[in-house]
Amino acid sequence: MSYEPEPFPSYPYPRPRHDASPSYATYPWQPPPPEPVQPRLPRRQALGHHSDLRVLRGAYRWQRRVASITALGYFTVFLVLSAFAPSFMTSTVTAGLPTGLLLALVQLPVTWLAIALYEHTARRYVDPIADRIRKQAELDARREAAR
């Protein structure tokens, strides 16, 4: 283990910064430093903190839940009936068609229903909010470009 002395002695206060410019003019003929420019604050909050995005996320979350619960809920009911009610699933509905087979065949239309429900809620609730946010973002971008 070798001992290398520090370039500066340890003081009770921080070391001086060598890259810092002095706050006064070094030479009397230098012009005064420029005044710091205060950035203009936007009239509205930035888009990332806007409440419309929270509304959009909530609508999209609700849309996913409804479609998922529709498809997976029916499938779960089918599996539970298959496991815990075999006599019900083997009973015949009409002309020798077992209830289990009928419920299995209904799974495809239920999946289509979940897809249709997803598209309907997208058009009705989510897309108008997304369009409004998109238009507002375009207006904000034009205002920023005009400055």
Side-chain angles (χ1 to χ4, degrees):
M1 185 190 278
S2 66
Y3 172 75
E4 294 184 26
E6 292 185 21
F8 293 102
S10 59
Y11 295 109
Y13 50 87
R15 295 180 182 167
R17 290 183 47 198
H18 294 289
D19 61 339
S21 301
S23 60
Y24 56 88
T26 308
Y27 302 104
W29 58 83
Q30 283 183 321
E35 294 294 322
V37 178
Q38 297 292 331
R40 289 178 53 183
L41 297 175
R43 288 188 293 236
R44 309 171 11 107
Q45 289 181 345
L47 190 61
H49 301 290
H50 202 270
S51 65
D52 283 346
L53 288 178
R54 285 192 297 273
V55 172
L56 179 64
R57 282 192 301 265
Y60 185 60
R61 191 178 306 125
W62 181 81
Q63 175 193 20
R64 286 186 319 231
R65 285 181 187 158
V66 168
S68 299
I69 288 172
T70 301
L72 294 176
Y74 181 82
F75 186 67
T76 303
V77 167
F78 176 74
L79 288 179
V80 167
L81 286 174
S82 297
F84 296 109
S87 61
F88 173 74
M89 296 297 273
T90 57
S91 64
T92 57
V93 179
T94 56
L97 182 67
T99 308
L101 181 60
L102 180 66
L103 291 177
L105 293 174
V106 171
Q107 179 68 40
L108 189 62
V110 168
T111 304
W112 289 339
L113 175 71
I115 293 170
L117 190 62
Y118 188 86
E119 289 180 4
H120 171 72
T121 56
R123 278 191 221 107
R124 179 122 188 222
Y125 300 108
V126 179
D127 288 347
I129 298 170
D131 290 339
R132 187 173 65 225
I133 291 172
R134 190 177 301 113
K135 287 176 186 174
Q136 188 63 44
E138 289 172 2
L139 286 173
D140 288 346
R142 285 187 202 141
R143 285 184 192 139
E144 286 297 319
R147 285 188 190 180

